[in-house]
Structure formats: C-alpha cells, structure tokens
Amino acid sequence: MSKSKILDSIRKNQPGAIPLPEIDPALFADEGNLREAFTSVLTAIGGNVHAVNSPEAALPILKAAFPDAAKILCRVEGIDLNTVDPDSITSAAELDDLDLAIIPGAFGVAENGAIWVPESALSRRVLPFITAHLAIVMDGSQIVGTMHEAYPRLKDFREGFGVFIAGPSKTADIEQSLVIGAHGPLSLSVFLI
Amino acid sequence: MNGHPQAAAAFNRDEAHVDWHDTALWAVRQKRDTMAGTVRNWESLRSLGSQIKAHTLSNLGQYLEQFEKNALQNGVKVHWAADAREHNRIVCEILKQHKVGKLVKSKSMLTEECGLNPYLEAQGIEVTDTDLGERIVQLAKEHPSHIVMPAIHKKREEIDLLFQEHLGTRRSGGDALYLTREARKHLRQRFLQADAALTGVNFAIAETGGFVVCTNEGNADMGVHATPLHIACMGIEKIIPAQEHLGVFLRLLARSATGQPITTYSSHFRAPAPGQEIHIVIVDNGRSNQLGRPEFRNSLHCIRCGACINTCPVYRRSGGHSYGYTIPGPIGSILAPGKDLHRHASLPFASTLCGSCHDVCPVKIDIHKQLFRWRQVIVREEGADFFKTLAMKATAFVFARPGLFAFGGKVGRLLLKITPRFLVYSRLNSWGKQRELPAPPGQSFTEWYKRERG
C-alpha cells in the first residue's frame, strides 16, 4: 500500500530531529495606529474603506455607490437592503446574477488589509466570491497588527471554512497589466464601525 | 541532446520581447524588495520560515500521519500516491465514481508535474484551467512558463488572437481589461457547469487537518464552492505543524511572489460543506528521495513563491520554457536533476551562480550552492562535453604555471588588438555571440602593480 511505502521512505530519509522555533509576535509588531494602517493598506490594494458610526450609516453610502444593484443579499443586521431570501438559495447558480453581497467581517489585520470571514457569517460559502460587488461591515476596534496576532484569535475556530479577504479579486496575467475584478468581486467596500 | 542553451537561443530570437520579459520580471523583483522593506525584522521572518520547514522535514512522517488523522476526523477523505501515475489514477477514479464529466481546476504545479490534464482528457473528462494565465496557456496548448505568472512569456497581441479564436472576442489589440472581463464571463459559465473542482494546496496543517489555498483571482473558491466535489492535491512537503505557522508563511508568500502584502484570498478549508465531499491526495513522486539527499534536502522548503525565478538573470533572458521542466528557474534547476539527472543535466549550468536566488528566497534555500553541487554530480555521472573538459584541462595547466600565464596574457592582449574582428568573433567564440569582449588593457595587473609599487 502506498501510504506505508511513502511513510517508510520518509522515515528512512528524514534527518534527525531539528527543534521547532518559537514565534515571538513582539519581534514583528509595528507601532502606530492600527485602524489607520489597516485603512491605508486596504486602500492601496484596491479596497474602498468607509468609517461609519453604525451599520445603518452604511446604507446611504451603499445606495449611492450601487444605484443599479437589483439583486442584493445582506447578512448584516441593521442594513435593510435584502432583495432575496438567503434561505431560499439552493445552488451557486442562483447567485450568479447577484449584484451585491453585504457580510460581516470578524476582524482585520493592519499589515495586509485582510479581513477574516468565517463560514458562519455567510449563507453559502460561495457568497463572497460569486457576487459582483462585496461589502464587509466590521467593528473598527477589531484590528490586529500582524498575522502573528491573527492566528491566536483563531485558536478555537472549528468551522469547516473561513477566509482572509484582502481587497477585490484581481489579476495581472496579461502582460502584467493589473486588472481589478477577475473571477471574484469587481469591488470591495469595507465599513469600519 | 537538446538542453537549456538550445531552447534559450530560440527564445532569444525576438530581442525586443526578451527585453520586455527581462524588465517585467525585474519590476516584480523590485516590488518584492519594497514590500520586504516594510516588514519589521524581515530577515528574522525568513529565518523562522526556514527553521519551521527544517523542523517539519525532520518530523515529516509524524506530521503527515497527524494531518491524515485530523483530516479524516473532519470528514475529509485522504489518499496517498507514491508517484505521478498513481496520483492520476486516484484522481480519475474519484471523478469516475462521481460521474464527473466537467472539471474546473485552479493552479496546481503538482498536477502539471504529474501530467494530470492529458490523462483525464484521454478518459473523456473535460478539464478547464481557471487561473487566467493558465487558461491562456491551456488554450494555446502550451505549458506555464512561470509558477506564479503562467503566461508571462505571451504577448498581449497573441492573447488577443487566442481569445478571438476560442472565446469569440473582438479584435482589441490586447486590451487587458476587455480580455479579462471576457475571460471572466467565459469561465463563470465553466464554474457553474462543472461537476467537480480541483485545487492545489499551499499549506496543510497537521494540527487541524485543514489546508490553505491562496489565489488573487478567486478562481479556486469559485470552483470549489460551486461544485459538490473538491479534490485537493498536495506534495508531502506542503505540511506545516500548526495553525500559528501560517502566520509566518502567509506573511512571506505573497510579498516574495508579487510584492503584495497578502494574496486577495487565503482560504482555510477544514471540512466539506453540507452535501459536499473533500478529497485530499498526498503525493510523493520523488520527494522522499530528495529528503534523503542531505546536500539537496532543503530544496523541499520551497513554498513556490517564484522570487528566485523573478530575480534570476538567466531566467529573465531565457524564458521559462527553455528549462523543459514544470518548475523553471533556479529552484526548478535544483529539483529537476533529483527527478531525472540525465534528462535535466543542462539545468544546473543555466546559472551564473550569482546567488541572487538565495538572497530573495523566503525560506533561505541555498539554491546557488546546490546548483554548484549538482554540476559536480552531473560531471561525475554524465561526463562533461569534450571541449569543456579540454578547456578546463588547458586552463588548469596554464594557471599552475605563472610564467606561462604571464606570457599567454601578453600574447592574448596583442592578438586581440591585431586580429581582424571576423576572426575574434568567429563561431569558436561562443562568449562573444551576443556580447562584445572587453577592450584588451595595455598591461596586466601584475605589470601595473610592479610599476606602481615595485
């Protein structure tokens, strides 16, 4: 059987034990305002960041930014824009014409503008990828400095799927010309409360 | 035997395109430098990456078993493949069991290495590569020329023609925005019609049994979440011990690859969604042999960022296809000889040994030293070219005799001055094919030193 064959070969060939180093997050921590750093990095990678006082305050901004959005799926309390019942969706194909998805983000990472989105924040895993435009609403106090501080927060995470989202989808596969909007959303709006 | 020099000569025929290729890749290297410069204690981060990988390789068997146990507990199915053939057979069997006719794939250099696409196509399965660069090379019936930028060798005009032919686009002169939007529409249909999705694995976590897939385009997630079957293929070296180590590698990967702070999507898979299945195929295909070669072992640290490729002066001017191996550039040139020494014997010589690859490697693989070691193995086992052996012997003879060396220098300087150009740049002078020889100095260093200090 291949499993034992592979493991035998590995055990025969692997070197003697080499110690595992400790990671000291303090070594990599930057000083400065996390919210400002997060906003500036996320803007640089193509995200639109808005500071708001409440989820409700995102409503007029979203309406102005996406005046033609006909099909909207919202997973955030306080933003009354849903045009579809999330529970009625039974396949990815039914979301193909989704114009806008609005979802909550768990926390952000200042060094790279990434936002952690667990599966429980979504009605379906495909949601933040298949939508034409994506908006994430997040508590602005929930921002850590680096990825070394992000993973301790996920220590007890047991869900089947979660994703760090950093900006809109993009590609530069044609002669290195950057195009925002590849297979995922064409834009990302982030609302920091 | 046709090797790197012959293939590189073909790439070098279009000089303007070589210049573009060279400049474009150097720009990516510069972006990497800028990004690395913004990270506090970047060098310590590289050391951590290297040490975690070294530790993992020293416990690889244990970590793989721990990973399998946890993955099974999560409801994920795990398969083991000793070689490419077994890998292809396993993937095909899973697809057949699920009656899959259409498969969408995101980028996986491992499946390229195994030749999975032609294998599945021969079994009647329609395979669509969904990374834009990979789709371009698939339509052109070529292979990726770079592990991160698969179509970097292609000019926009070529892509324009390719899309006109296959996607029915209008002539756009290579408008990247228009072509990308058209590819989005075309591939969106493929995602929604597919029966299964296949992805690579960037990192597999022993502690949780989960794995992480990184993309910028969102193509891996589109395929996986739109279909009921997800197959993830990974080499045995993709294992890391615990989730906290992702912090180190996700910080290193995109910054080294493209100069981004992180890829747009870092997707963490642990268990299938309701109604879905996840299968992981763990592949050896020569890796455990490489593990047993102490002097080449740390080539298995590689996280496939491509930084060594972008910085390599030889790669930038010879193109990825000149290497004739799935993984081109410096890292490919130390991995390929371990797979098939005879076939890839020219690759370790496709280097200036400048060491730039080692300088940028996020997990500190001493690529330049391994290239040199492979050269020694190759000359020992494969022998060297007759003229090269002769030249080396002659050089050694002269260098061992200072009087002869000084005399030879004098004669050489004189001859270079008086010999007509067509003779100096005759076919015997392969160095001078695309280069001017430096002007001969009036005196040797020894002569100058004696006059100045004597």
Side-chain angles (χ1 to χ4, degrees), chain B residues 1 12 25 63 78 190 271 277 302 319 327 348 385 392 411 413 418 448:
Chain B
M1 193 186 79
N12 272 272
L25 285 152
Y63 281 133
V78 181
R190 296 288 173 117
E277 276 184 32
C302 180
I327 305 203
D385 172 83
M392 283 296 175
V411 173
R413 286 193 293 280
I418 60 170
W448 172 86

Side-chain angles (χ1 to χ4, degrees), chain B residues 26 166 261:
Chain B
W26 185 248
H166 294 277

Side-chain angles (χ1 to χ4, degrees), chain B residues 308-326:
Chain B
C308 62
I309 301 177
N310 301 337
T311 199
C312 179
V314 175
Y315 174 89
R316 283 187 276 119
R317 293 172 181 84
S318 63
H321 289 154
S322 64
Y323 292 79
Y325 184 63
T326 312

Side-chain angles (χ1 to χ4, degrees), chain A residues 48-124:
Chain A
N48 306 309
V49 186
H50 307 273
V52 291
N53 290 321
S54 66
E56 289 79 3
L59 197 68
I61 302 173
L62 284 167
K63 276 186 173 160
F66 306 103
D68 303 323
K71 190 164 172 178
I72 302 174
L73 201 158
C74 179
R75 302 274 303 162
V76 179
E77 298 265 338
I79 302 180
D80 187 19
L81 277 174
N82 250 328
T83 67
V84 282
D85 172 14
D87 299 327
S88 72
I89 305 288
T90 56
S91 76
E94 289 167 58
L95 293 171
D96 185 30
D97 57 349
L98 188 67
D99 295 306
L100 175 64
I102 307 159
I103 59 171
F107 66 91
V109 185
E111 68 160 324
N112 54 25
I115 298 169
W116 177 251
V117 177
E119 179 171 25
S120 53
L122 311 167
S123 49
R124 297 185 74 85

Side-chain angles (χ1 to χ4, degrees), chain A residues 2-3 9 18 27 29 173 184, chain B residues 40-41 55 68 86 184 288:
Chain A
S2 289
K3 178 185 167 184
S9 172
I18 295 169
L27 191 62
D173 274 344
Chain B
R40 198 174 145 230
N41 288 319
H55 162 81
E68 181 191 39
E86 190 174 12
R184 176 187 167 96
S288 64

